[in-house]
Amino acid sequence: MEDRSHSLDPQDWTAIRAQGHKMLDDMFDYMQHIRERPVWQPVPEGIRQRYHESLPREGVALEEIHQRFLHEVMPYSAGNAHPGFMGWVQGGGTPVGMLAELLAAGLNANLGGRDQMPVEVEKQMTRWMQELFQFPDSASGLFVTGTSIANFIAVLIARAKALGLASRKTGIASNPQRLVAYASVGAHACVSQAIDMAGIGTDALRLIPVNENFEMDLDCLRQAIQADRLAGMTPFMIAGTAGTVDVGAIDNLSALADFAESEELWFHIDGAFGALAMLAKDIAPRLKGIERADSIAFDFHKWLQVPYDAGYILVRDGDAHFDTFAISTSYLKRETRGIAAGTKWPCDFGPDLSRGFRALKAWFTIQVYGTERLGKMISHTCEVARYLQRQIEGNPRLELLAPVNLNIVCFRYLHENQTQLDDLNRDIVFELHESGLAAPSTTRVHGHLAIRAAIVNHRTGKHEIDRMLRAVIQFGDRLSVDISANPA
């Protein structure tokens, strides 16, 4: 009998099957009873110190490590699966997505390419995104870690279009053109980071002021483009935003598409969470113009609730996308038969050769729930945000700091001591986090520190909003006593 002691498969499949079922049941219990847990709790120092232990030389039983996970890891995550988590734009995940991720991990497919059905699943997702965003059949798409990388890919494609494919060999330093791009001051920092990583430099990103609705100011954009052309610069890209990170504003996408077309610029949209509002019938009209984009970056792991990570880039000109990344090597030669058959593998559309089966959990989510239900879920989160807005506007101790565009609400607790308002609201958020009741975040709006509630989780409802606001008032009132007793 062949010696298989070197294999990492279990010697007792019955035992690991039983342990696996227990682990699965534990995660179902976690999801089912998530509301009974605190949103977040600090990590005890004793537990944190355990993770300074040395590299293990000998293995331990699976069930022992599982117990460590249950008691040392699971209770101390950031809590974005919890309905009280409203701090950052993060999806809550679903049981369906979790199970799909289990299947993908078991299959362990590498989606860099080759003739296999997992690649076909990703291709079907691209066809679905073509349909959703009204892109042509020739458009291309790719799963990536998140919108940060998707934005980077878009910048690289736009750069290659502006400088020519020869720049892939000679680099941008050999080209006399000085590229410049445009985005609003409300754009996510990853847009600037993408310009940096592309070797163009962040000084080449013009951050355009916004209007009273936090949309990119079109007059300022026009003036900036004209000034750069007069200075001998080469404008090459406009990056619009569908759902800004601070307040959830949507740029005037149709007007930006007009600008880009008239100036012959690449029109990219950072739609990290907002782009998928195309699934919601009541919100989709506000995204008019997104169908004219040259590229769209977004995340399935945000509003669509797909487990992390599942970012995506959709590109109108599939050939330009392919030409920007494709390489020819002997060890990746495409054949007419066998596993290596096929052309235009996923690795030809991005920097990753080794790629996980991210598409499966997104595919399962859309198949199982359907776009109608998913769209209603997105609409519901916006409805909950409007409920929060009404509660704030109806309470004299609270102030709304920005229009509620989609599902993000920025507000603050008021106090007569204006000089300490920022510190007070920051401390209220600290108290909320440490209480485990709710987890909003902070940002700055018109120079003021705001409590920022992003209603992204499909589990979040009016109950969680009421509980958070009661706690805001409670903590605000208590902290105000200290301010009144010790004014700055």
Side-chain angles (χ1 to χ4, degrees):
M1 186 175 181
E2 181 184 357
D3 177 16
R4 297 183 179 177
S5 60
H6 62 279
S7 172
L8 298 180
D9 284 337
Q11 294 183 346
D12 185 345
W13 281 96
T14 300
I16 198 170
R17 188 184 301 271
Q19 178 64 27
H21 283 301
K22 185 178 187 312
M23 294 165 76
L24 183 60
D25 281 341
D26 284 340
M27 294 317 298
F28 277 136
D29 287 343
Y30 174 77
M31 288 187 172
Q32 183 179 355
H33 301 290
I34 189 72
R35 288 174 172 81
E36 300 164 20
R37 295 175 172 271
V39 180
W40 176 84
Q41 53 187 334
V43 181
E45 192 57 32
I47 289 179
R48 198 185 298 274
Q49 284 301 317
R50 284 208 66 180
Y51 290 79
H52 291 259
E53 59 198 3
S54 299
L55 181 69
R57 296 187 61 83
E58 300 295 332
V60 297
L62 173 61
E63 52 267 33
E64 181 179 334
I65 301 304
H66 177 215
Q67 287 301 312
R68 286 193 63 180
F69 168 79
L70 290 178
H71 298 292
E72 300 173 7
V73 178
M74 188 171 70
Y76 305 106
S77 69
N80 54 290
H82 196 287
F85 184 93
M86 308 171 202
W88 294 268
V89 181
Q90 299 181 17
T94 67
V96 167
M98 179 186 74
L99 292 172
E101 188 77 318
L102 183 152
L103 297 177
L107 192 61
N108 195 30
N110 181 344
L111 268 74
R114 302 173 181 86
D115 188 10
Q116 55 173 326
M117 275 307 298
V119 171
E120 295 302 319
V121 172
E122 184 160 345
K123 287 180 179 178
Q124 182 171 58
M125 286 297 303
T126 295
R127 285 189 284 271
W128 285 348
M129 293 306 100
Q130 291 168 352
E131 180 181 349
L132 180 64
F133 293 103
Q134 302 172 46
F135 270 41
D137 293 343
S138 56
S140 55
L142 189 73
F143 274 87
V144 292
T145 56
T147 294
S148 295
I149 296 301
N151 284 331
F152 179 48
I153 288 174
V155 169
L156 293 179
I157 302 168
R159 187 189 70 179
K161 288 284 285 187
L163 300 181
L165 291 177
S167 63
R168 290 190 63 188
K169 291 184 177 181
T170 60
I172 61 174
S174 65
N175 197 298
Q177 298 184 78
R178 296 176 59 191
L179 300 180
V180 285
Y182 308 86
S184 87
V185 293
H188 196 283
C190 68
V191 175
S192 175
Q193 185 182 53
I195 297 291
D196 174 16
M197 293 191 299
I200 300 170
T202 56
D203 284 350
L205 178 64
R206 307 292 189 248
L207 295 178
I208 307 300
V210 295
N211 60 24
E212 65 277 6
N213 295 318
F214 294 85
E215 303 163 354
M216 192 188 305
D217 188 297
L218 301 179
D219 289 334
C220 291
L221 174 63
R222 182 183 298 106
Q223 294 166 14
I225 292 175
Q226 291 174 348
D228 283 331
R229 290 202 187 279
L230 287 173
M233 306 285 193
T234 303
F236 80 108
M237 179 182 187
I238 297 174
T241 303
T244 58
V245 62
D246 280 327
V247 300
I250 302 171
D251 285 333
N252 187 333
L253 303 180
S254 290
L256 293 182
D258 290 339
F259 266 112
E261 183 177 350
S262 64
E263 296 287 341
E264 298 184 343
L265 308 180
W266 187 274
F267 178 35
H268 174 66
I269 294 176
D270 177 354
F273 78 93
L276 285 173
M278 286 293 288
L279 293 168
K281 294 178 181 177
D282 57 329
I283 306 174
R286 299 179 57 190
L287 295 171
K288 183 174 175 55
I290 198 170
E291 73 283 354
R292 298 173 59 191
D294 290 302
S295 53
I296 308 171
F298 56 93
D299 292 321
F300 289 103
H301 57 232
K302 289 188 169 74
W303 242 350
L304 214 67
Q305 315 297 327
V306 170
Y308 277 86
D309 51 38
Y312 197 80
I313 178 71
L314 182 68
V315 182
R316 176 177 301 278
D317 187 342
D319 289 338
H321 189 181
F322 176 84
D323 291 342
T324 301
F325 289 97
I327 57 174
S328 177
T329 61
S330 60
Y331 51 84
L332 293 176
K333 186 176 185 298
R334 316 302 154 84
E335 303 290 356
T336 58
R337 297 170 56 189
I339 298 174
T343 59
K344 293 191 174 181
W345 291 355
C347 64
D348 295 321
F349 294 91
D352 293 325
L353 176 57
S354 297
R355 304 176 64 250
F357 197 0
R358 295 186 181 96
L360 189 66
K361 53 195 173 185
W363 185 79
F364 258 78
T365 298
I366 292 175
Q367 290 276 25
V368 172
Y369 295 110
T371 58
E372 288 291 322
R373 185 175 177 186
L374 292 169
K376 289 177 181 177
M377 175 271 297
I378 289 171
S379 296
H380 173 72
T381 61
C382 294
E383 179 185 329
V384 172
R386 290 191 294 271
Y387 173 78
L388 173 55
Q389 174 188 357
R390 292 193 298 271
Q391 301 307 110
I392 293 167
E393 291 173 334
N395 193 315
R397 284 184 284 182
L398 303 175
E399 180 185 17
L400 191 70
L401 290 178
V404 178
N405 295 284
L406 293 170
N407 60 336
I408 296 177
V409 184
C410 294
F411 67 102
R412 63 178 175 173
Y413 176 93
L414 293 174
H415 188 272
E416 59 186 14
N417 189 328
Q418 296 290 312
T419 61
Q420 295 194 49
L421 265 183
D422 284 359
D423 289 343
L424 172 59
N425 280 277
R426 180 202 61 207
D427 289 345
I428 288 172
V429 170
F430 289 160
E431 294 284 347
L432 287 169
H433 289 184
E434 291 167 358
S435 72
L437 295 171
S441 63
T442 63
T443 190
R444 301 198 76 85
V445 178
H446 297 311
H448 304 300
L449 185 136
I451 300 172
R452 174 180 171 275
I455 317 300
V456 186
N457 194 327
H458 61 98
R459 302 181 178 98
T460 305
K462 294 178 181 178
H463 171 77
E464 284 74 30
I465 297 303
D466 291 340
R467 186 162 81 156
M468 177 186 70
L469 287 181
R470 284 196 301 268
V472 167
I473 299 298
Q474 175 188 343
F475 293 134
D477 288 351
R478 177 168 59 79
L479 293 168
S480 292
V481 172
D482 295 336
I483 291 177
S484 298
N486 303 283

